[in-house]
């Protein structure tokens, strides 16, 4: 693998990790309730704060590693603070349980508190990951380290569709389903969104996360529309009103065109405008009125792939400047492409 490919792969992992971090930090309580109910019942969520990222250096490999999500909280009925470390893992790594122990050790060294480690495995392969590290001799057991884990591809998506939980809705896209079930997964995701009734910014985050990992083809979208028409009319209508359901917005825009070509163009423009609206809502929610200055430049993005990349960038970007730099990089490229046509 070339140096450029290594960098690209590393950036992709970083983007996935940031996307998971944004989702988990927004819906942390719901995440614990969904996957770890015993811990959820024990935690006092009124005393919860998110700590800054920790950067560690692997001395042997010379790599810098960043702990993704650290939560400071306490247990019910206790005054002492605890740390919850949540580590999303988007690729296979044979020594991952070693890395979790190293993180645990470094965090304990710094905070000297009880630490609850949790790993979320989100890669596509169905595999049981080790969650324990033993260090022992034939004559003595030195240590047994263990962490909680969620293996998403080993979860049956149907087991979660009755949950009124935003984390469950978003993570349907990463759970275990067959290619033939993709349309049904999207349908149930939309039904869950209707029941959840989140504010626009959170709805945008959930939709952006879901569609990052499960994007339907045009043929699958047509099948989805037929499936939605079989629902109760009131439920179907409420689904159609979701402003962040980009493909459904594209369908409504496309219907206004008379000819087949017009319908295709209308659907495309409708999907783009729906995504731009999602970008504006999320920018406003994350960065306030300062984000309004980017409105004009966002409208200049006309390529589907650039708008998709922008939505992901806004979702995971830690600063408004990073979003601005991304847009400024893409707009000139589009202008140049048009001159070459």
């Amino acid at each position: 693998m070339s140096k450029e490919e290594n960098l690209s792969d590393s950036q992709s992992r970083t983007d996935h990790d940031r996307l998971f971090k944004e989702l988990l930090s927004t819906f942390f309580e719901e995440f614990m309730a969904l996957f770890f109910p015993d811990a959820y019942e024990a935690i006092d969520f009124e005393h919860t704060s998110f700590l800054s990222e920790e950067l560690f250096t692997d001395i042997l490999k010379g790599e810098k590693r960043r702990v993704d999500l650290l939560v400071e909280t306490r247990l019910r009925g206790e005054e002492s603070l605890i740390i919850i470390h949540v580590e999303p893992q988007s690729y296979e790594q044979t020594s991952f349980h070693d890395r979790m122990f190293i993180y645990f050790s470094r965090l304990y060294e710094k905070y000297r508190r009880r630490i609850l480690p949790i790993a979320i495995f989100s890669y596509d392969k169905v595999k049981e990951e080790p969650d324990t590290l033993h260090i022992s001799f034939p004559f003595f057991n030195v240590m047994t380290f263990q962490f909680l884990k969620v293996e998403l591809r080993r979860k049956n998506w149907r087991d979660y569709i009755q949950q009124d939980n935003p984390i469950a809705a978003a993570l349907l896209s990463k759970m275990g389903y067959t290619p033939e079930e993709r349309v049904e997964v999207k349908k149930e995701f939309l039904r869950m969104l209707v029941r959840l009734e989140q504010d626009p910014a959170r709805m945008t985050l959930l939709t952006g996360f879901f569609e990052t990992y499960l994007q339907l083809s045009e043929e699958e979208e047509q099948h989805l529309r037929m499936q939605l028409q079989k629902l109760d009319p009131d439920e179907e209508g409420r689904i159609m009103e979701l402003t962040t359901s980009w493909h459904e917005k594209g369908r409504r825009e496309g219907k206004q065109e008379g000819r087949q070509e017009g319908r295709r163009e209308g659907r495309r423009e409708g999907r783009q405008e729906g995504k731009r609206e999602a970008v504006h809502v999320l920018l406003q929610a994350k960065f306030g009125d300062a984000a309004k200055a980017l409105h004009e430049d966002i409208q200049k993005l006309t390529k589907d792939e650039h708008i998709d990349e922008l939505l992901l960038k806004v979702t995971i970007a830690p600063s408004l400047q990073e979003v601005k730099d991304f847009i400024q990089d893409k707009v000139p490229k589009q202008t140049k492409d048009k001159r070459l046509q």
Side-chain angles (χ1 to χ4, degrees):
M1 182 178 291
S2 67
K3 181 178 180 181
E4 290 75 12
E5 289 173 325
N6 272 321
L7 289 173
S8 176
D9 187 49
S10 176
Q11 181 62 43
S12 175
R13 292 172 184 173
T14 300
D15 288 345
H16 286 300
D17 290 345
R18 285 185 180 178
L19 187 55
F20 266 86
K21 180 180 178 180
E22 186 75 24
L23 180 73
L24 294 172
S25 60
T26 303
F27 301 105
F28 176 70
E29 186 173 347
E30 292 86 347
F31 166 74
M32 296 300 295
L34 183 66
F35 293 115
F36 306 109
D38 291 341
Y40 170 79
E41 292 297 331
I43 294 170
D44 182 356
F45 288 96
E46 292 185 2
H47 298 85
T48 296
S49 61
F50 294 92
L51 304 179
S52 59
E53 292 181 339
E54 295 287 349
L55 186 64
F56 299 132
T57 300
D58 187 324
I59 299 175
L60 293 178
K61 296 183 179 180
E63 297 176 348
K64 290 185 177 181
R65 295 283 189 175
R66 201 174 290 275
V67 172
D68 284 308
L69 189 66
L70 286 180
V71 184
E72 184 179 72
T73 185
R74 62 180 62 171
L75 301 182
R76 298 181 189 276
E78 296 187 8
E79 292 298 322
S80 59
L81 294 171
I82 66 170
I83 301 291
I84 301 177
H85 165 215
V86 184
E87 189 72 16
Q89 180 70 3
S90 60
Y91 61 98
E92 287 188 81
Q93 184 182 22
T94 55
S95 60
F96 178 77
H97 58 307
D98 291 338
R99 179 151 65 91
M100 285 294 286
F101 173 66
I102 293 172
Y103 285 166
F104 177 88
S105 302
R106 299 283 184 87
L107 292 171
Y108 183 77
E109 180 182 25
K110 177 175 181 177
Y111 292 101
R112 298 290 173 164
R113 296 174 187 162
R114 286 177 293 173
I115 299 170
L116 180 64
I118 302 173
I120 306 174
F121 298 99
S122 61
Y123 53 76
D124 291 337
K125 185 177 180 179
V126 179
K127 174 187 175 183
E128 183 173 0
E129 284 281 356
D131 58 5
T132 306
L133 176 65
H134 293 287
I135 298 178
S136 63
F137 298 91
F139 53 85
F140 183 67
N141 179 41
V142 176
M143 184 201 69
T144 298
F145 167 75
Q146 189 171 17
F147 55 89
L148 296 174
K149 65 178 179 178
V150 181
E151 296 168 315
L152 290 174
R153 281 299 180 192
R154 292 168 61 87
K155 301 289 185 183
N156 187 327
W157 68 278
R158 294 183 184 276
D159 294 339
Y160 293 88
I161 59 177
Q162 298 304 321
Q163 296 271 356
D164 290 332
N165 186 312
I167 282 284
L171 291 181
L172 287 183
S173 60
K174 294 298 292 178
M175 292 183 182
Y177 53 83
T178 66
E180 294 75 22
E181 293 176 319
R182 285 164 49 85
V183 171
E184 194 172 358
V185 173
K186 175 69 177 289
K187 181 188 74 173
E188 294 301 332
F189 167 73
L190 293 174
R191 297 182 73 188
M192 292 176 76
L193 283 190
V194 166
R195 297 200 309 269
L196 288 168
E197 297 183 340
Q198 298 286 302
D199 62 69
R202 292 188 172 204
M203 198 78 81
T204 297
L205 173 59
L206 294 172
T207 306
F209 184 97
F210 182 92
E211 298 224 1
T212 295
Y213 297 110
L214 202 169
Q215 290 190 359
L216 300 184
S217 65
E218 182 62 30
E219 183 179 353
E220 288 173 324
E221 286 288 350
Q222 293 176 2
H223 187 198
L224 173 63
R225 291 193 285 272
M226 291 188 292
Q227 292 296 314
L228 292 176
Q229 291 172 1
K230 298 177 182 179
L231 298 176
D232 176 88
D234 179 63
E235 184 179 18
E236 181 194 5
R238 293 177 67 191
I239 289 176
M240 297 306 176
E241 291 173 3
L242 291 175
T243 58
T244 53
S245 182
W246 308 315
H247 293 273
E248 293 309 311
K249 182 175 178 64
R251 181 185 70 85
R252 292 196 300 272
E253 295 290 332
K255 269 192 167 183
Q256 298 175 2
E257 301 294 334
R259 295 179 293 110
Q260 182 64 29
E261 182 62 30
R263 286 197 296 271
R264 285 199 295 270
E265 182 63 21
R267 283 196 295 270
R268 189 185 71 82
E269 293 178 359
R271 285 195 295 270
Q272 285 191 353
E273 189 56 35
K275 292 178 183 180
R276 289 194 191 95
E277 288 181 11
V279 167
H280 293 314
V281 169
L282 192 54
L283 276 172
Q284 179 71 23
K286 290 186 68 173
F287 304 114
D289 291 339
K292 293 181 179 179
L294 300 182
H295 182 87
E296 184 176 343
D297 284 338
I298 291 172
Q299 296 304 117
K300 295 177 182 178
L301 293 176
T302 58
K303 289 194 172 187
D304 289 339
E305 61 267 28
H306 289 171
I307 299 174
D308 288 341
E309 291 173 10
L310 175 60
L311 184 64
L312 176 58
K313 177 61 68 175
V314 172
T315 304
I316 65 178
S319 68
L320 184 62
Q321 185 61 46
E322 187 170 322
V323 179
K324 183 178 180 180
D325 292 342
F326 173 86
I327 295 173
Q328 290 179 341
D329 178 62
K330 296 300 180 184
V331 170
K333 288 183 178 181
Q334 290 194 162
T335 304
K336 181 179 180 180
D337 290 343
K338 287 183 179 180
R339 289 201 303 265
L340 294 175
Q341 290 178 355

